[in-house]
């Protein structure tokens, strides 16, 4: 089986990545150029991650790739490709995006919201135990 790779997420121009460390943690960006083996040029559509070189250690590659983005693409081209590939919907539909959204929603709960969630979980577990018994 020579020539068949088990990897699917490559460091390449147009690959959408999530920043996993620093002030931009949790934000999505697009790889625009590979500077060297450890650094890439990234930019985001909404300006949340400014155009900058960033270490690959600080990025987590996603399965999403923009096909119509060339090397060192301008912000206008990047925005058009982002909208054409519907990245926000793909991200929201992915398990990774859902997990982050769920975690953010849970963090926004107040005291009474946490109480309601605890009571709902307790009631659900009681129903499950009643079914099993």
């Amino acid at each position: 089986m020579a020539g068949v790779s088990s990897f699917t997420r490559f460091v390449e121009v147009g690959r959408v990545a999530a920043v996993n460390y620093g002030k931009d943690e949790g934000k999505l960006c697009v790889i625009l150029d590979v500077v060297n083996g450890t650094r890439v040029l990234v930019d985001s559509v909404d300006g949340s991650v400014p155009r900058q070189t960033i270490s690959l250690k600080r990025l987590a590659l996603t399965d999403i790739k923009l096909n119509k983005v060339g090397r060192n693409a301008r912000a206008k081209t990047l925005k058009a490709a982002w909208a054409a590939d519907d990245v926000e919907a793909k991200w929201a539909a992915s398990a990774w995006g859902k997990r982050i959204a769920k975690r953010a929603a849970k963090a926004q709960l107040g005291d009474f919201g946490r109480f309601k969630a605890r009571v709902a979980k307790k009631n659900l577990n009681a129903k499950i135990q009643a079914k099993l018994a």
Side-chain angles (χ1 to χ4, degrees), residues 19 21 23 26 39 41 50-51 53-54 58 61 64 72 74 78 81 86 91 95 99 103 108 110-111 119 123 125:
V19 181
Y21 183 80
K23 63 179 179 144
R39 299 187 67 77
L41 177 69
R51 185 177 287 243
T53 58
I54 191 168
R58 294 180 181 228
L61 303 177
I64 306 167
N72 291 327
R74 298 181 319 162
L78 181 62
D86 203 16
W91 177 251
R99 184 172 59 244
R103 201 175 288 160
Q108 294 298 323
D111 186 40
V119 169
N123 289 338
N125 286 337

Side-chain angles (χ1 to χ4, degrees), residues 41-116:
L41 177 69
V42 298
D43 196 4
S44 66
V45 174
D46 57 358
S48 59
V49 179
R51 185 177 287 243
Q52 62 182 318
T53 58
I54 191 168
S55 173
L56 287 170
K57 290 180 181 180
R58 294 180 181 228
L59 291 179
L61 303 177
T62 67
D63 290 330
I64 306 167
K65 184 176 183 311
L66 302 179
N67 295 320
K68 296 181 181 177
V69 173
R71 197 168 154 237
N72 291 327
R74 298 181 319 162
K76 184 178 178 183
T77 308
L78 181 62
K79 194 171 194 174
W82 186 277
D85 284 347
D86 203 16
V87 173
E88 293 296 334
K90 288 179 183 176
W91 177 251
S94 71
W96 191 355
K98 287 177 186 176
R99 184 172 59 244
I100 289 175
K102 185 178 176 182
R103 201 175 288 160
K106 191 174 181 181
Q108 294 298 323
L109 288 177
D111 186 40
F112 188 60
R114 286 191 298 274
F115 171 75
K116 289 193 300 187

